[in-house]
Amino acid sequence: MFAGALGDLKIYVYELPPSYNADWLANERCGSHLFAAEVAIHRALLSSDVRTFDPWEADFFFVPVYVSCNFSTANGFPAIGHARPLIASAVQLISSQLPFWNRTNGADHVFVASHDYGSCFHAMEEKAVEEGVPEFMKNSIVLQTFGVKHRHPCQDVANVVIPPYVSPGKFQRTLAGAPVKGDRDIWAFFRGKMEVHPKNISGRFYSKRVRTVILEKFSRDRRFYLKRHRFAGYQSEIARSTFCLCPLGWAPWSPRLVESVVLGCVPVIIADGIRLPFPTAVPWPDISLTVAERDVGKLAAILDHVAATNLSSIQRNLWRPAVANALLFHDEVADGDATWQVLRELLQFRNRSRSREVGFGQGVAK
């Protein structure tokens, strides 16, 4: 299945005690919420063609620790205060049992950090920046949803930006009942947290006030379908929409990005400097709009211009099946899907590393 695309890539998956992964699945949300890429990637690797049971031939070592499945009883959100000690414990275990971590100081080991600020393991940016990437992980490769184009302490580690997790099965059910692609009765859509008076936490306004400006400026514009309350069937609204607003929250990224693409709604990305997943597979400039945070008050004029000029071209690019496929994680690796894209990124890491080794060796020979 992977011949020619992933070559001879080999990944060894550590078999950790269930307290690091399987035990967390007792809560069914663990495998289905927006941070569940850590579960999906592990699950897909277990049956993948690239998996090797011989660690001596492995190019990379995957460390399957689920850190986003500890849900707070107060608000139901994932609590990741235990993440650093849990991963540190896993590293101590694997380094005491096998020689491979110590051989490279973890440089060929892969972790998943699928929450707001990735490998900093904190939900609030100020605290995440203060704590930074754990020292023991700084040589490793981290698959993380968080990524920005500017320098940021939470990506001071070799990393691959991955999409958040959204259930492929749920998409299929939504699409089955959705209108045809060209018959969309909602012009611009957003459902989510929008505060009239945004809370100032640790000196920061939620969404940098972007969502509040959207509500203030466009709540009376009938073309904007803006809803502040949760609705379990909101994906059906995305499938009816032409433009889907994807503003930052606390972090730049949001599951709305994946949901919009898969359901054929043009994502309008409002998050300055965001790094998007798999840019070689997903032609982001051709399938989405990017609006600067400072220009959010001009959204109506911007969308009007696109609708009058190149909307049909954007939609044709967006509706290519391969684009949606690249952002979805499946239980088994499928050609071109999100886990496949991760493996291709790891292959490129390996090839670059080998090229440097060859170049170094040739330099010494001279």
Side-chain angles (χ1 to χ4, degrees):
M1 177 169 59
F2 301 126
L6 299 177
D8 57 349
L9 181 69
K10 297 294 182 184
I11 297 179
Y12 180 80
V13 181
Y14 283 107
E15 295 184 12
L16 296 176
S19 57
Y20 291 98
N21 42 61
D23 284 353
W24 295 101
L25 294 172
N27 186 328
E28 63 180 16
R29 286 184 63 199
C30 182
S32 60
H33 69 129
L34 76 162
F35 301 142
E38 60 186 7
V39 180
I41 293 171
H42 180 209
R43 188 173 287 159
L45 285 177
L46 291 177
S47 60
S48 169
D49 292 350
V50 304
R51 184 186 184 187
T52 178
F53 291 90
D54 179 2
W56 293 100
E57 71 170 9
D59 299 300
F60 297 102
F61 298 80
F62 184 77
V63 188
V65 183
Y66 301 168
V67 302
S68 300
C69 295
N70 184 25
F71 299 104
S72 167
T73 54
N75 57 24
F77 295 137
I80 56 173
H82 68 303
R84 288 170 180 259
L86 188 65
I87 296 176
S89 170
V91 168
Q92 183 177 20
L93 180 64
I94 63 177
S95 62
S96 66
Q97 293 183 347
L98 292 171
F100 304 103
W101 176 274
N102 295 328
R103 184 180 65 179
T104 65
N105 198 22
D108 49 7
H109 283 57
V110 180
F111 299 85
V112 182
S114 53
H115 33 271
D116 281 3
Y117 291 98
S119 45
C120 284
F121 300 105
H122 203 281
M124 296 302 296
E125 186 172 21
E126 291 83 358
K127 191 67 175 176
V129 168
E130 178 185 334
E131 296 186 354
V133 178
E135 194 66 33
F136 62 85
M137 286 180 64
K138 286 188 175 178
N139 291 321
S140 301
I141 298 171
V142 181
L143 314 178
Q144 57 182 37
T145 44
F146 174 72
V148 289
K149 294 176 182 176
H150 53 272
R151 184 75 182 269
H152 195 287
C154 296
Q155 56 186 22
D156 281 351
V157 62
N159 62 83
V160 176
V161 177
I162 62 173
Y165 180 85
V166 187
S167 167
K170 190 174 181 180
F171 280 128
Q172 291 171 359
R173 291 190 294 273
T174 300
L175 288 169
V180 295
K181 290 176 178 176
D183 185 19
R184 292 175 178 257
D185 61 316
I186 299 174
W187 191 65
F189 170 76
F190 179 81
R191 181 182 287 276
K193 185 175 180 178
M194 293 182 290
E195 298 187 5
V196 179
H197 303 291
K199 296 176 182 177
N200 189 328
I201 300 177
S202 302
R204 283 186 60 200
F205 285 108
Y206 181 70
S207 187
K208 299 182 184 177
R209 296 197 78 251
V210 165
R211 298 189 187 190
T212 301
V213 172
I214 292 172
L215 182 65
E216 291 173 346
K217 293 279 291 186
F218 304 110
S219 61
R220 293 181 179 85
D221 187 329
R222 293 183 179 180
R223 299 175 302 168
F224 281 78
Y225 186 89
L226 307 176
K227 302 294 180 181
R228 298 171 61 195
H229 303 292
R230 293 177 181 271
F231 167 48
Y234 74 96
Q235 285 190 358
S236 64
E237 297 171 322
I238 295 175
R240 293 167 49 201
S241 303
T242 298
F243 296 105
C244 287
L245 309 186
C246 302
L248 74 162
W250 286 122
W253 63 272
S254 159
R256 292 174 185 82
L257 193 63
V258 175
E259 292 167 325
S260 301
V261 172
V262 176
L263 295 172
C265 181
V266 177
V268 181
I269 302 166
I270 313 167
D272 292 353
I274 187 173
R275 275 174 61 209
L276 298 169
F278 311 141
T280 58
V282 181
W284 291 107
D286 300 329
I287 68 165
S288 65
L289 306 180
T290 300
V291 176
E293 293 167 14
R294 67 175 181 274
D295 292 333
V296 68
K298 305 174 185 177
L299 265 177
I302 293 170
L303 299 185
D304 276 335
H305 176 73
V306 172
T309 54
N310 61 334
L311 175 59
S312 59
S313 175
I314 293 172
Q315 289 176 323
R316 280 196 300 272
N317 295 325
L318 175 65
W319 293 341
R320 288 172 46 225
V323 172
N325 184 46
L327 298 176
L328 291 178
F329 294 99
H330 299 91
D331 286 347
E332 295 184 359
V333 182
D335 286 325
D337 79 347
T339 305
W340 190 96
Q341 302 296 339
V342 166
L343 295 175
R344 187 171 71 165
E345 295 277 355
L346 292 177
L347 179 64
Q348 292 172 353
F349 269 103
R350 188 199 72 177
N351 292 345
R352 286 195 295 269
S353 176
R354 287 183 177 179
S355 295
R356 286 194 296 270
E357 291 173 1
V358 170
F360 177 77
Q362 290 174 340
V364 170
K366 291 178 181 177

